[in-house]
Amino acid sequence: MPARPPLTARRLRLAVELRKMRERAGMTATEAARTLGTSQGQLSNVESGRFGVSPERIRALAHIYSCPDQMFIEALVSMATDKAFGWWESYREVLPSGLLDLAELEHHATAVRTAYTSHMPGLLQTADHAREIFRHVIPAPTPPEIEHRVSHRIKRQGVLYGAHPTPYSTVVHEAALHMRVGGRNVARAQLQHLLDMGELEHITIRVLPLGVGAFPGSGQSINYLRGPVPQLDTAQLDQFHGPALLDAEALLEKYRNLLDIVEATALSPEKSRDLIHALAQDL
């Protein structure tokens, strides 16, 4: 018997959305399974992500649940149809699954918005900066584990390049820009990399200056990954134990609003560039 494919964030999200669709229709799993002509156990396996689901079954479920949103339905069908393994799967035996989930979400995102208060955005880190960060992971990784993490992080950045790069917007707190991670030379190269990336049309970098003081969401790093439809957006928060993924509609709205406020509070991209340039010159 072939091995069951891993339960990735994308596969689990599809299962969760099918369960939400049923719950919005006010149907129990027993009622839905009976109407569909299957067993409650099989439907439960689909809604937990243990079993895959065909496009035809998704459309049948949408019909039973009277879901009128055709764009949402087709987005779910696309998720079920795309079964190709991404480059991140080659790291499954050597890295925590949360890092692979983030790479998968970034790969499929139609746009990415982030806000960082204490460190550089992962998608904009240099290899030397990332390597120094990973040296301080707890428990301490081995040198090969560090290199696996570095190479994974650099490969994640592929979404910012190519013929159709992902639109990317970030707010970085000035405090993170002052941290000399890896020493003067590494820090200067990191700031120069921010300046270079900020020149790309699809990338917007804003700095939240020290003088702002307290602000909503301070102390928290946020990755907001836009899906093909708003219902399939994902908010990812950095936690000490690993990435936390949020998909509840109320929480998604909260983090969209929070990012709007933080972006409005930050310096303009032009003034942000001037500040980054000045800090780089001082190193």
PDB file of all heavy atoms in Angstrom, residues 249-269:
ATOM      1  N   GLU A 249     -12.403  33.725  10.002  1.00  0.00           N
ATOM      2  CA  GLU A 249     -12.684  34.972   9.287  1.00  0.00           C
ATOM      3  C   GLU A 249     -12.545  36.195  10.193  1.00  0.00           C
ATOM      4  O   GLU A 249     -12.053  37.238   9.764  1.00  0.00           O
ATOM      5  CB  GLU A 249     -14.078  34.904   8.665  1.00  0.00           C
ATOM      6  CG  GLU A 249     -14.174  33.888   7.518  1.00  0.00           C
ATOM      7  CD  GLU A 249     -15.540  33.866   6.869  1.00  0.00           C
ATOM      8  OE1 GLU A 249     -16.318  34.827   7.078  1.00  0.00           O
ATOM      9  OE2 GLU A 249     -15.840  32.892   6.153  1.00  0.00           O
ATOM     10  N   ALA A 250     -12.974  36.075  11.444  1.00  0.00           N
ATOM     11  CA  ALA A 250     -12.874  37.216  12.362  1.00  0.00           C
ATOM     12  C   ALA A 250     -11.417  37.573  12.630  1.00  0.00           C
ATOM     13  O   ALA A 250     -11.054  38.759  12.706  1.00  0.00           O
ATOM     14  CB  ALA A 250     -13.585  36.901  13.674  1.00  0.00           C
ATOM     15  N   LEU A 251     -10.557  36.558  12.756  1.00  0.00           N
ATOM     16  CA  LEU A 251      -9.141  36.818  13.002  1.00  0.00           C
ATOM     17  C   LEU A 251      -8.458  37.380  11.756  1.00  0.00           C
ATOM     18  O   LEU A 251      -7.595  38.258  11.850  1.00  0.00           O
ATOM     19  CB  LEU A 251      -8.445  35.532  13.448  1.00  0.00           C
ATOM     20  CG  LEU A 251      -8.816  35.025  14.845  1.00  0.00           C
ATOM     21  CD1 LEU A 251      -8.135  33.703  15.123  1.00  0.00           C
ATOM     22  CD2 LEU A 251      -8.439  36.060  15.899  1.00  0.00           C
ATOM     23  N   LEU A 252      -8.846  36.891  10.593  1.00  0.00           N
ATOM     24  CA  LEU A 252      -8.273  37.417   9.352  1.00  0.00           C
ATOM     25  C   LEU A 252      -8.596  38.904   9.206  1.00  0.00           C
ATOM     26  O   LEU A 252      -7.733  39.708   8.842  1.00  0.00           O
ATOM     27  CB  LEU A 252      -8.801  36.634   8.148  1.00  0.00           C
ATOM     28  CG  LEU A 252      -8.340  35.176   8.032  1.00  0.00           C
ATOM     29  CD1 LEU A 252      -9.035  34.495   6.856  1.00  0.00           C
ATOM     30  CD2 LEU A 252      -6.823  35.084   7.867  1.00  0.00           C
ATOM     31  N   GLU A 253      -9.837  39.268   9.507  1.00  0.00           N
ATOM     32  CA  GLU A 253     -10.217  40.680   9.437  1.00  0.00           C
ATOM     33  C   GLU A 253      -9.422  41.493  10.444  1.00  0.00           C
ATOM     34  O   GLU A 253      -8.977  42.614  10.152  1.00  0.00           O
ATOM     35  CB  GLU A 253     -11.713  40.834   9.697  1.00  0.00           C
ATOM     36  CG  GLU A 253     -12.204  42.275   9.584  1.00  0.00           C
ATOM     37  CD  GLU A 253     -13.697  42.414   9.788  1.00  0.00           C
ATOM     38  OE1 GLU A 253     -14.344  41.401  10.111  1.00  0.00           O
ATOM     39  OE2 GLU A 253     -14.213  43.537   9.628  1.00  0.00           O
ATOM     40  N   LYS A 254      -9.230  40.953  11.634  1.00  0.00           N
ATOM     41  CA  LYS A 254      -8.465  41.648  12.674  1.00  0.00           C
ATOM     42  C   LYS A 254      -7.050  41.947  12.198  1.00  0.00           C
ATOM     43  O   LYS A 254      -6.558  43.074  12.354  1.00  0.00           O
ATOM     44  CB  LYS A 254      -8.419  40.797  13.936  1.00  0.00           C
ATOM     45  CG  LYS A 254      -7.496  41.348  15.013  1.00  0.00           C
ATOM     46  CD  LYS A 254      -7.426  40.416  16.221  1.00  0.00           C
ATOM     47  CE  LYS A 254      -6.442  40.937  17.253  1.00  0.00           C
ATOM     48  NZ  LYS A 254      -6.368  40.045  18.443  1.00  0.00           N
ATOM     49  N   TYR A 255      -6.400  40.959  11.586  1.00  0.00           N
ATOM     50  CA  TYR A 255      -5.012  41.158  11.181  1.00  0.00           C
ATOM     51  C   TYR A 255      -4.894  42.000   9.913  1.00  0.00           C
ATOM     52  O   TYR A 255      -3.901  42.691   9.721  1.00  0.00           O
ATOM     53  CB  TYR A 255      -4.296  39.809  11.051  1.00  0.00           C
ATOM     54  CG  TYR A 255      -3.941  39.254  12.416  1.00  0.00           C
ATOM     55  CD1 TYR A 255      -4.670  38.219  12.979  1.00  0.00           C
ATOM     56  CD2 TYR A 255      -2.921  39.828  13.171  1.00  0.00           C
ATOM     57  CE1 TYR A 255      -4.388  37.745  14.248  1.00  0.00           C
ATOM     58  CE2 TYR A 255      -2.615  39.358  14.439  1.00  0.00           C
ATOM     59  CZ  TYR A 255      -3.355  38.320  14.972  1.00  0.00           C
ATOM     60  OH  TYR A 255      -3.066  37.877  16.242  1.00  0.00           O
ATOM     61  N   ARG A 256      -5.900  41.967   9.060  1.00  0.00           N
ATOM     62  CA  ARG A 256      -5.909  42.899   7.932  1.00  0.00           C
ATOM     63  C   ARG A 256      -5.976  44.339   8.441  1.00  0.00           C
ATOM     64  O   ARG A 256      -5.232  45.215   7.974  1.00  0.00           O
ATOM     65  CB  ARG A 256      -7.095  42.618   7.006  1.00  0.00           C
ATOM     66  CG  ARG A 256      -6.916  41.444   6.069  1.00  0.00           C
ATOM     67  CD  ARG A 256      -7.949  41.461   4.952  1.00  0.00           C
ATOM     68  NE  ARG A 256      -9.312  41.372   5.468  1.00  0.00           N
ATOM     69  CZ  ARG A 256      -9.969  40.222   5.641  1.00  0.00           C
ATOM     70  NH1 ARG A 256      -9.377  39.080   5.357  1.00  0.00           N
ATOM     71  NH2 ARG A 256     -11.218  40.213   6.093  1.00  0.00           N
ATOM     72  N   ASN A 257      -6.870  44.573   9.401  1.00  0.00           N
ATOM     73  CA  ASN A 257      -6.997  45.914   9.966  1.00  0.00           C
ATOM     74  C   ASN A 257      -5.726  46.330  10.698  1.00  0.00           C
ATOM     75  O   ASN A 257      -5.306  47.503  10.614  1.00  0.00           O
ATOM     76  CB  ASN A 257      -8.198  45.976  10.919  1.00  0.00           C
ATOM     77  CG  ASN A 257      -9.526  45.821  10.206  1.00  0.00           C
ATOM     78  OD1 ASN A 257      -9.623  46.097   9.011  1.00  0.00           O
ATOM     79  ND2 ASN A 257     -10.549  45.393  10.921  1.00  0.00           N
ATOM     80  N   LEU A 258      -5.131  45.406  11.411  1.00  0.00           N
ATOM     81  CA  LEU A 258      -3.903  45.704  12.143  1.00  0.00           C
ATOM     82  C   LEU A 258      -2.780  46.097  11.185  1.00  0.00           C
ATOM     83  O   LEU A 258      -2.062  47.083  11.412  1.00  0.00           O
ATOM     84  CB  LEU A 258      -3.483  44.492  12.976  1.00  0.00           C
ATOM     85  CG  LEU A 258      -2.185  44.621  13.772  1.00  0.00           C
ATOM     86  CD1 LEU A 258      -2.250  45.804  14.720  1.00  0.00           C
ATOM     87  CD2 LEU A 258      -1.907  43.331  14.541  1.00  0.00           C
ATOM     88  N   LEU A 259      -2.648  45.377  10.097  1.00  0.00           N
ATOM     89  CA  LEU A 259      -1.617  45.711   9.117  1.00  0.00           C
ATOM     90  C   LEU A 259      -1.896  47.059   8.462  1.00  0.00           C
ATOM     91  O   LEU A 259      -0.962  47.826   8.185  1.00  0.00           O
ATOM     92  CB  LEU A 259      -1.522  44.611   8.060  1.00  0.00           C
ATOM     93  CG  LEU A 259      -0.825  43.323   8.515  1.00  0.00           C
ATOM     94  CD1 LEU A 259      -1.039  42.208   7.501  1.00  0.00           C
ATOM     95  CD2 LEU A 259       0.669  43.554   8.724  1.00  0.00           C
ATOM     96  N   ASP A 260      -3.171  47.356   8.221  1.00  0.00           N
ATOM     97  CA  ASP A 260      -3.523  48.669   7.669  1.00  0.00           C
ATOM     98  C   ASP A 260      -3.054  49.784   8.595  1.00  0.00           C
ATOM     99  O   ASP A 260      -2.486  50.792   8.149  1.00  0.00           O
ATOM    100  CB  ASP A 260      -5.042  48.777   7.469  1.00  0.00           C
ATOM    101  CG  ASP A 260      -5.550  47.938   6.307  1.00  0.00           C
ATOM    102  OD1 ASP A 260      -4.734  47.543   5.459  1.00  0.00           O
ATOM    103  OD2 ASP A 260      -6.771  47.689   6.272  1.00  0.00           O
ATOM    104  N   ILE A 261      -3.281  49.614   9.896  1.00  0.00           N
ATOM    105  CA  ILE A 261      -2.899  50.630  10.877  1.00  0.00           C
ATOM    106  C   ILE A 261      -1.385  50.771  10.948  1.00  0.00           C
ATOM    107  O   ILE A 261      -0.837  51.884  10.955  1.00  0.00           O
ATOM    108  CB  ILE A 261      -3.470  50.280  12.263  1.00  0.00           C
ATOM    109  CG1 ILE A 261      -5.001  50.364  12.233  1.00  0.00           C
ATOM    110  CG2 ILE A 261      -2.907  51.202  13.334  1.00  0.00           C
ATOM    111  CD1 ILE A 261      -5.668  49.827  13.484  1.00  0.00           C
ATOM    112  N   VAL A 262      -0.688  49.645  11.000  1.00  0.00           N
ATOM    113  CA  VAL A 262       0.774  49.676  11.100  1.00  0.00           C
ATOM    114  C   VAL A 262       1.391  50.315   9.855  1.00  0.00           C
ATOM    115  O   VAL A 262       2.319  51.130   9.949  1.00  0.00           O
ATOM    116  CB  VAL A 262       1.336  48.258  11.322  1.00  0.00           C
ATOM    117  CG1 VAL A 262       2.864  48.260  11.275  1.00  0.00           C
ATOM    118  CG2 VAL A 262       0.867  47.703  12.664  1.00  0.00           C
ATOM    119  N   GLU A 263       0.868  49.975   8.670  1.00  0.00           N
ATOM    120  CA  GLU A 263       1.383  50.574   7.439  1.00  0.00           C
ATOM    121  C   GLU A 263       1.144  52.077   7.414  1.00  0.00           C
ATOM    122  O   GLU A 263       2.006  52.848   6.976  1.00  0.00           O
ATOM    123  CB  GLU A 263       0.729  49.903   6.227  1.00  0.00           C
ATOM    124  CG  GLU A 263       1.214  48.488   5.977  1.00  0.00           C
ATOM    125  CD  GLU A 263       0.511  47.827   4.807  1.00  0.00           C
ATOM    126  OE1 GLU A 263      -0.380  48.484   4.205  1.00  0.00           O
ATOM    127  OE2 GLU A 263       0.840  46.671   4.490  1.00  0.00           O
ATOM    128  N   ALA A 264      -0.024  52.503   7.901  1.00  0.00           N
ATOM    129  CA  ALA A 264      -0.334  53.932   7.923  1.00  0.00           C
ATOM    130  C   ALA A 264       0.531  54.679   8.929  1.00  0.00           C
ATOM    131  O   ALA A 264       0.812  55.869   8.755  1.00  0.00           O
ATOM    132  CB  ALA A 264      -1.811  54.136   8.249  1.00  0.00           C
ATOM    133  N   THR A 265       0.961  54.003   9.978  1.00  0.00           N
ATOM    134  CA  THR A 265       1.790  54.611  11.016  1.00  0.00           C
ATOM    135  C   THR A 265       3.256  54.706  10.592  1.00  0.00           C
ATOM    136  O   THR A 265       3.982  55.602  11.031  1.00  0.00           O
ATOM    137  CB  THR A 265       1.688  53.795  12.321  1.00  0.00           C
ATOM    138  OG1 THR A 265       0.308  53.646  12.684  1.00  0.00           O
ATOM    139  CG2 THR A 265       2.424  54.470  13.464  1.00  0.00           C
ATOM    140  N   ALA A 266       3.687  53.803   9.733  1.00  0.00           N
ATOM    141  CA  ALA A 266       5.089  53.740   9.316  1.00  0.00           C
ATOM    142  C   ALA A 266       5.449  54.888   8.373  1.00  0.00           C
ATOM    143  O   ALA A 266       4.581  55.590   7.842  1.00  0.00           O
ATOM    144  CB  ALA A 266       5.359  52.401   8.630  1.00  0.00           C
ATOM    145  N   LEU A 267       6.740  55.063   8.159  1.00  0.00           N
ATOM    146  CA  LEU A 267       7.229  56.045   7.198  1.00  0.00           C
ATOM    147  C   LEU A 267       6.846  55.626   5.787  1.00  0.00           C
ATOM    148  O   LEU A 267       6.602  54.450   5.515  1.00  0.00           O
ATOM    149  CB  LEU A 267       8.750  56.159   7.301  1.00  0.00           C
ATOM    150  CG  LEU A 267       9.332  56.629   8.640  1.00  0.00           C
ATOM    151  CD1 LEU A 267      10.869  56.553   8.588  1.00  0.00           C
ATOM    152  CD2 LEU A 267       8.880  58.041   8.966  1.00  0.00           C
ATOM    153  N   SER A 268       6.822  56.564   4.880  1.00  0.00           N
ATOM    154  CA  SER A 268       6.580  56.247   3.480  1.00  0.00           C
ATOM    155  C   SER A 268       7.737  55.389   2.956  1.00  0.00           C
ATOM    156  O   SER A 268       8.832  55.377   3.541  1.00  0.00           O
ATOM    157  CB  SER A 268       6.492  57.524   2.654  1.00  0.00           C
ATOM    158  OG  SER A 268       7.761  58.161   2.609  1.00  0.00           O
ATOM    159  N   PRO A 269       7.537  54.667   1.870  1.00  0.00           N
ATOM    160  CA  PRO A 269       8.651  53.888   1.300  1.00  0.00           C
ATOM    161  C   PRO A 269       9.867  54.756   0.996  1.00  0.00           C
ATOM    162  O   PRO A 269      11.015  54.309   1.181  1.00  0.00           O
ATOM    163  CB  PRO A 269       8.039  53.294   0.021  1.00  0.00           C
ATOM    164  CG  PRO A 269       6.578  53.192   0.333  1.00  0.00           C
ATOM    165  CD  PRO A 269       6.262  54.397   1.167  1.00  0.00           C
TER     166      PRO A 269
END
